[in-house]
Amino acid sequence: CSEAFVHVRVRATFPHVRGQTMTTGVCPQRFGPENTTARARESHASSDIAINGFFGRMGQTIYAESMTHNSANITLGCDAEEKIKNHDGLDSIILTSNLISSENSFDVVIDFSLPNPSINAINACVSMKKPMTIGTTGFDKDQLCTEFSPQA
């Protein structure tokens, strides 16, 4: 699918990457070529965002920064069950340890978790056909070479 990616340049507004340009993409083979241009255009509109690794440093940084932008609507925080138990909820954000259980509450996932939870989130996003941006590091060689495909 990598040769068919349509790239959209996004100007980063988070303090640690201010002024840098990041690239993201939408895969026409996964979402259909007719939807690729529309999805690229919609990238400037407000999306409902789930953060995987919500209670981590980057998850909290993204959440805090989203409060200053009208176009960033964080609707779901996903993290380990024991981290969620220590919080009653935040405003109107759904807290869960399972992305699939709340699949209708978000359009895209931003992942800043750990390698294994990130792999779980990738599998969930593939099965739900939801786009995902991964900022997680620390993957081993086997994890990096994993191929993901929708369940039939």
Side-chain angles (χ1 to χ4, degrees):
C1 187
S2 61
E3 70 278 357
F5 263 67
V6 174
H7 291 281
V8 180
R9 293 222 173 260
V10 181
R11 197 54 135 169
T13 57
F14 299 110
H16 62 285
V17 291
R18 193 173 310 281
Q20 297 180 21
T21 300
M22 300 186 305
T23 302
T24 187
V26 179
C27 176
Q29 293 171 344
R30 173 115 351 135
F31 297 104
E34 67 283 354
N35 294 327
T36 302
T37 304
R39 284 183 183 274
R41 256 187 262 118
E42 290 170 4
S43 68
H44 295 288
S46 178
S47 293
D48 291 336
I49 301 167
I51 299 175
N52 191 47
F54 183 76
F55 290 111
R57 193 171 6 152
M58 282 304 299
Q60 288 298 289
T61 300
I62 293 168
Y63 174 65
E65 188 67 23
S66 75
M67 304 298 265
T68 66
H69 297 278
N70 292 335
S71 61
N73 185 29
I74 309 299
T75 57
L76 185 127
C78 185
D79 217 313
E81 190 68 42
E82 57 272 7
K83 292 182 180 181
I84 293 170
K85 287 180 183 177
N86 296 329
H87 295 84
D88 290 331
L90 303 164
D91 302 325
S92 60
I93 294 178
I94 299 165
L95 297 177
T96 184
S97 61
N98 182 345
L99 288 170
I100 293 176
S101 68
S102 301
E103 79 174 283
N104 294 325
S105 63
F106 62 92
D107 302 313
V108 63
V109 174
I110 298 174
D111 175 68
F112 276 98
S113 59
L114 296 169
N116 286 332
S118 184
I119 297 290
N120 293 339
I122 293 167
N123 283 319
C125 286
V126 167
S127 72
M128 294 182 292
K129 296 185 177 177
K130 300 246 185 183
M132 177 181 197
T133 298
I134 301 169
T136 298
T137 61
F139 292 100
D140 63 31
K141 185 178 179 181
D142 290 336
Q143 290 168 323
L144 289 173
C145 294
T146 303
E147 290 190 35
F148 300 93
S149 58
Q151 302 296 323

PDB file of all heavy atoms in Angstrom, residues 48-49 54 63 67 72-77 88-96 102 105-106:
ATOM      1  N   ASP A  48     -13.156  13.940  15.146  1.00  0.00           N
ATOM      2  CA  ASP A  48     -13.213  13.381  16.493  1.00  0.00           C
ATOM      3  C   ASP A  48     -12.011  12.464  16.642  1.00  0.00           C
ATOM      4  O   ASP A  48     -11.837  11.526  15.866  1.00  0.00           O
ATOM      5  CB  ASP A  48     -14.515  12.619  16.707  1.00  0.00           C
ATOM      6  CG  ASP A  48     -15.722  13.549  16.753  1.00  0.00           C
ATOM      7  OD1 ASP A  48     -15.537  14.736  17.072  1.00  0.00           O
ATOM      8  OD2 ASP A  48     -16.837  13.089  16.470  1.00  0.00           O
ATOM      9  N   ILE A  49     -11.187  12.740  17.642  1.00  0.00           N
ATOM     10  CA  ILE A  49      -9.891  12.081  17.786  1.00  0.00           C
ATOM     11  C   ILE A  49      -9.856  11.219  19.040  1.00  0.00           C
ATOM     12  O   ILE A  49     -10.268  11.653  20.110  1.00  0.00           O
ATOM     13  CB  ILE A  49      -8.762  13.132  17.864  1.00  0.00           C
ATOM     14  CG1 ILE A  49      -8.767  13.996  16.607  1.00  0.00           C
ATOM     15  CG2 ILE A  49      -7.408  12.466  18.073  1.00  0.00           C
ATOM     16  CD1 ILE A  49      -7.903  15.240  16.710  1.00  0.00           C
ATOM     17  N   PHE A  54      -3.406   7.715  26.356  1.00  0.00           N
ATOM     18  CA  PHE A  54      -3.970   8.989  26.799  1.00  0.00           C
ATOM     19  C   PHE A  54      -3.311   9.550  28.055  1.00  0.00           C
ATOM     20  O   PHE A  54      -3.059  10.749  28.143  1.00  0.00           O
ATOM     21  CB  PHE A  54      -5.480   8.838  27.025  1.00  0.00           C
ATOM     22  CG  PHE A  54      -6.166  10.112  27.402  1.00  0.00           C
ATOM     23  CD1 PHE A  54      -6.423  11.066  26.436  1.00  0.00           C
ATOM     24  CD2 PHE A  54      -6.551  10.362  28.704  1.00  0.00           C
ATOM     25  CE1 PHE A  54      -7.066  12.262  26.764  1.00  0.00           C
ATOM     26  CE2 PHE A  54      -7.189  11.536  29.049  1.00  0.00           C
ATOM     27  CZ  PHE A  54      -7.447  12.484  28.071  1.00  0.00           C
ATOM     28  N   TYR A  63      -3.636  16.312  24.429  1.00  0.00           N
ATOM     29  CA  TYR A  63      -4.930  16.702  24.990  1.00  0.00           C
ATOM     30  C   TYR A  63      -4.909  18.166  25.431  1.00  0.00           C
ATOM     31  O   TYR A  63      -5.813  18.935  25.100  1.00  0.00           O
ATOM     32  CB  TYR A  63      -5.299  15.782  26.159  1.00  0.00           C
ATOM     33  CG  TYR A  63      -6.540  16.214  26.880  1.00  0.00           C
ATOM     34  CD1 TYR A  63      -7.766  16.203  26.225  1.00  0.00           C
ATOM     35  CD2 TYR A  63      -6.503  16.641  28.197  1.00  0.00           C
ATOM     36  CE1 TYR A  63      -8.920  16.610  26.877  1.00  0.00           C
ATOM     37  CE2 TYR A  63      -7.645  17.037  28.856  1.00  0.00           C
ATOM     38  CZ  TYR A  63      -8.852  17.032  28.187  1.00  0.00           C
ATOM     39  OH  TYR A  63      -9.986  17.437  28.825  1.00  0.00           O
ATOM     40  N   MET A  67      -6.994  21.697  23.565  1.00  0.00           N
ATOM     41  CA  MET A  67      -7.923  22.626  24.218  1.00  0.00           C
ATOM     42  C   MET A  67      -7.796  24.038  23.648  1.00  0.00           C
ATOM     43  O   MET A  67      -8.693  24.852  23.821  1.00  0.00           O
ATOM     44  CB  MET A  67      -7.689  22.643  25.724  1.00  0.00           C
ATOM     45  CG  MET A  67      -7.790  21.274  26.378  1.00  0.00           C
ATOM     46  SD  MET A  67      -9.404  20.547  26.202  1.00  0.00           S
ATOM     47  CE  MET A  67     -10.102  21.054  27.742  1.00  0.00           C
ATOM     48  N   ALA A  72      -9.381  20.548  16.751  1.00  0.00           N
ATOM     49  CA  ALA A  72      -8.990  19.287  17.400  1.00  0.00           C
ATOM     50  C   ALA A  72     -10.023  18.948  18.468  1.00  0.00           C
ATOM     51  O   ALA A  72     -10.141  19.640  19.470  1.00  0.00           O
ATOM     52  CB  ALA A  72      -7.598  19.413  18.011  1.00  0.00           C
ATOM     53  N   ASN A  73     -10.757  17.882  18.248  1.00  0.00           N
ATOM     54  CA  ASN A  73     -11.808  17.480  19.163  1.00  0.00           C
ATOM     55  C   ASN A  73     -11.480  16.091  19.726  1.00  0.00           C
ATOM     56  O   ASN A  73     -11.759  15.079  19.086  1.00  0.00           O
ATOM     57  CB  ASN A  73     -13.159  17.467  18.431  1.00  0.00           C
ATOM     58  CG  ASN A  73     -14.306  17.179  19.359  1.00  0.00           C
ATOM     59  OD1 ASN A  73     -14.257  17.489  20.539  1.00  0.00           O
ATOM     60  ND2 ASN A  73     -15.350  16.584  18.828  1.00  0.00           N
ATOM     61  N   ILE A  74     -10.871  16.051  20.898  1.00  0.00           N
ATOM     62  CA  ILE A  74     -10.535  14.774  21.537  1.00  0.00           C
ATOM     63  C   ILE A  74     -11.806  14.228  22.174  1.00  0.00           C
ATOM     64  O   ILE A  74     -12.397  14.859  23.054  1.00  0.00           O
ATOM     65  CB  ILE A  74      -9.436  14.940  22.614  1.00  0.00           C
ATOM     66  CG1 ILE A  74      -8.223  15.693  22.073  1.00  0.00           C
ATOM     67  CG2 ILE A  74      -9.056  13.584  23.202  1.00  0.00           C
ATOM     68  CD1 ILE A  74      -7.507  15.042  20.930  1.00  0.00           C
ATOM     69  N   THR A  75     -12.247  13.062  21.705  1.00  0.00           N
ATOM     70  CA  THR A  75     -13.484  12.470  22.211  1.00  0.00           C
ATOM     71  C   THR A  75     -13.249  11.208  23.029  1.00  0.00           C
ATOM     72  O   THR A  75     -14.128  10.795  23.774  1.00  0.00           O
ATOM     73  CB  THR A  75     -14.430  12.116  21.049  1.00  0.00           C
ATOM     74  OG1 THR A  75     -13.747  11.235  20.155  1.00  0.00           O
ATOM     75  CG2 THR A  75     -14.885  13.362  20.321  1.00  0.00           C
ATOM     76  N   LEU A  76     -12.065  10.590  22.873  1.00  0.00           N
ATOM     77  CA  LEU A  76     -11.823   9.322  23.543  1.00  0.00           C
ATOM     78  C   LEU A  76     -10.370   9.223  23.988  1.00  0.00           C
ATOM     79  O   LEU A  76      -9.463   9.581  23.242  1.00  0.00           O
ATOM     80  CB  LEU A  76     -12.139   8.166  22.578  1.00  0.00           C
ATOM     81  CG  LEU A  76     -12.047   6.770  23.189  1.00  0.00           C
ATOM     82  CD1 LEU A  76     -13.322   6.007  22.935  1.00  0.00           C
ATOM     83  CD2 LEU A  76     -10.875   6.017  22.609  1.00  0.00           C
ATOM     84  N   GLY A  77     -10.178   8.774  25.212  1.00  0.00           N
ATOM     85  CA  GLY A  77      -8.847   8.486  25.724  1.00  0.00           C
ATOM     86  C   GLY A  77      -8.744   6.998  25.993  1.00  0.00           C
ATOM     87  O   GLY A  77      -9.555   6.432  26.734  1.00  0.00           O
ATOM     88  N   ASP A  88     -12.122   9.521  37.027  1.00  0.00           N
ATOM     89  CA  ASP A  88     -13.567   9.425  36.841  1.00  0.00           C
ATOM     90  C   ASP A  88     -14.005   9.866  35.457  1.00  0.00           C
ATOM     91  O   ASP A  88     -15.120   9.642  35.051  1.00  0.00           O
ATOM     92  CB  ASP A  88     -14.290  10.290  37.879  1.00  0.00           C
ATOM     93  CG  ASP A  88     -14.160   9.710  39.270  1.00  0.00           C
ATOM     94  OD1 ASP A  88     -14.032   8.480  39.395  1.00  0.00           O
ATOM     95  OD2 ASP A  88     -14.187  10.496  40.230  1.00  0.00           O
ATOM     96  N   GLY A  89     -13.156  10.518  34.741  1.00  0.00           N
ATOM     97  CA  GLY A  89     -13.498  11.041  33.413  1.00  0.00           C
ATOM     98  C   GLY A  89     -13.036  12.482  33.315  1.00  0.00           C
ATOM     99  O   GLY A  89     -12.761  13.133  34.314  1.00  0.00           O
ATOM    100  N   LEU A  90     -12.941  12.940  32.130  1.00  0.00           N
ATOM    101  CA  LEU A  90     -12.505  14.306  31.874  1.00  0.00           C
ATOM    102  C   LEU A  90     -13.505  14.962  30.948  1.00  0.00           C
ATOM    103  O   LEU A  90     -13.625  14.567  29.791  1.00  0.00           O
ATOM    104  CB  LEU A  90     -11.112  14.312  31.236  1.00  0.00           C
ATOM    105  CG  LEU A  90     -10.007  13.618  32.027  1.00  0.00           C
ATOM    106  CD1 LEU A  90      -8.805  13.352  31.143  1.00  0.00           C
ATOM    107  CD2 LEU A  90      -9.610  14.484  33.201  1.00  0.00           C
ATOM    108  N   ASP A  91     -14.211  15.926  31.452  1.00  0.00           N
ATOM    109  CA  ASP A  91     -15.198  16.641  30.647  1.00  0.00           C
ATOM    110  C   ASP A  91     -16.077  15.634  29.904  1.00  0.00           C
ATOM    111  O   ASP A  91     -16.710  14.806  30.513  1.00  0.00           O
ATOM    112  CB  ASP A  91     -14.510  17.619  29.685  1.00  0.00           C
ATOM    113  CG  ASP A  91     -13.641  18.640  30.420  1.00  0.00           C
ATOM    114  OD1 ASP A  91     -14.028  19.038  31.532  1.00  0.00           O
ATOM    115  OD2 ASP A  91     -12.594  19.006  29.895  1.00  0.00           O
ATOM    116  N   SER A  92     -16.078  15.700  28.600  1.00  0.00           N
ATOM    117  CA  SER A  92     -16.933  14.805  27.811  1.00  0.00           C
ATOM    118  C   SER A  92     -16.117  13.715  27.117  1.00  0.00           C
ATOM    119  O   SER A  92     -16.568  13.123  26.151  1.00  0.00           O
ATOM    120  CB  SER A  92     -17.696  15.624  26.769  1.00  0.00           C
ATOM    121  OG  SER A  92     -16.778  16.276  25.912  1.00  0.00           O
ATOM    122  N   ILE A  93     -14.922  13.421  27.628  1.00  0.00           N
ATOM    123  CA  ILE A  93     -14.070  12.409  27.013  1.00  0.00           C
ATOM    124  C   ILE A  93     -14.417  11.030  27.554  1.00  0.00           C
ATOM    125  O   ILE A  93     -14.512  10.824  28.758  1.00  0.00           O
ATOM    126  CB  ILE A  93     -12.585  12.724  27.258  1.00  0.00           C
ATOM    127  CG1 ILE A  93     -12.234  14.015  26.528  1.00  0.00           C
ATOM    128  CG2 ILE A  93     -11.697  11.593  26.788  1.00  0.00           C
ATOM    129  CD1 ILE A  93     -10.823  14.449  26.728  1.00  0.00           C
ATOM    130  N   ILE A  94     -14.581  10.098  26.643  1.00  0.00           N
ATOM    131  CA  ILE A  94     -14.819   8.700  27.007  1.00  0.00           C
ATOM    132  C   ILE A  94     -13.468   8.079  27.328  1.00  0.00           C
ATOM    133  O   ILE A  94     -12.522   8.223  26.557  1.00  0.00           O
ATOM    134  CB  ILE A  94     -15.489   7.937  25.853  1.00  0.00           C
ATOM    135  CG1 ILE A  94     -16.849   8.555  25.522  1.00  0.00           C
ATOM    136  CG2 ILE A  94     -15.602   6.448  26.170  1.00  0.00           C
ATOM    137  CD1 ILE A  94     -17.410   8.106  24.184  1.00  0.00           C
ATOM    138  N   LEU A  95     -13.362   7.389  28.438  1.00  0.00           N
ATOM    139  CA  LEU A  95     -12.135   6.678  28.792  1.00  0.00           C
ATOM    140  C   LEU A  95     -12.381   5.185  28.640  1.00  0.00           C
ATOM    141  O   LEU A  95     -13.375   4.653  29.136  1.00  0.00           O
ATOM    142  CB  LEU A  95     -11.721   6.999  30.230  1.00  0.00           C
ATOM    143  CG  LEU A  95     -11.378   8.453  30.513  1.00  0.00           C
ATOM    144  CD1 LEU A  95     -11.054   8.648  31.984  1.00  0.00           C
ATOM    145  CD2 LEU A  95     -10.229   8.925  29.640  1.00  0.00           C
ATOM    146  N   THR A  96     -11.464   4.505  27.957  1.00  0.00           N
ATOM    147  CA  THR A  96     -11.619   3.075  27.703  1.00  0.00           C
ATOM    148  C   THR A  96     -10.250   2.421  27.557  1.00  0.00           C
ATOM    149  O   THR A  96      -9.252   3.102  27.322  1.00  0.00           O
ATOM    150  CB  THR A  96     -12.451   2.829  26.414  1.00  0.00           C
ATOM    151  OG1 THR A  96     -12.661   1.433  26.245  1.00  0.00           O
ATOM    152  CG2 THR A  96     -11.750   3.380  25.186  1.00  0.00           C
ATOM    153  N   SER A 102     -15.690   1.526  21.551  1.00  0.00           N
ATOM    154  CA  SER A 102     -16.225   2.884  21.364  1.00  0.00           C
ATOM    155  C   SER A 102     -15.973   3.389  19.950  1.00  0.00           C
ATOM    156  O   SER A 102     -15.764   4.583  19.732  1.00  0.00           O
ATOM    157  CB  SER A 102     -15.583   3.838  22.375  1.00  0.00           C
ATOM    158  OG  SER A 102     -15.836   3.427  23.686  1.00  0.00           O
ATOM    159  N   SER A 105     -17.277   6.715  18.404  1.00  0.00           N
ATOM    160  CA  SER A 105     -17.022   7.999  19.063  1.00  0.00           C
ATOM    161  C   SER A 105     -15.781   8.716  18.545  1.00  0.00           C
ATOM    162  O   SER A 105     -15.416   9.762  19.067  1.00  0.00           O
ATOM    163  CB  SER A 105     -16.926   7.791  20.577  1.00  0.00           C
ATOM    164  OG  SER A 105     -15.827   6.967  20.883  1.00  0.00           O
ATOM    165  N   PHE A 106     -15.125   8.192  17.505  1.00  0.00           N
ATOM    166  CA  PHE A 106     -13.944   8.857  16.952  1.00  0.00           C
ATOM    167  C   PHE A 106     -13.783   8.540  15.471  1.00  0.00           C
ATOM    168  O   PHE A 106     -14.316   7.552  14.974  1.00  0.00           O
ATOM    169  CB  PHE A 106     -12.674   8.460  17.722  1.00  0.00           C
ATOM    170  CG  PHE A 106     -12.347   6.994  17.659  1.00  0.00           C
ATOM    171  CD1 PHE A 106     -11.503   6.499  16.680  1.00  0.00           C
ATOM    172  CD2 PHE A 106     -12.879   6.103  18.581  1.00  0.00           C
ATOM    173  CE1 PHE A 106     -11.199   5.146  16.613  1.00  0.00           C
ATOM    174  CE2 PHE A 106     -12.582   4.752  18.528  1.00  0.00           C
ATOM    175  CZ  PHE A 106     -11.741   4.273  17.543  1.00  0.00           C
TER     176      PHE A 106
END
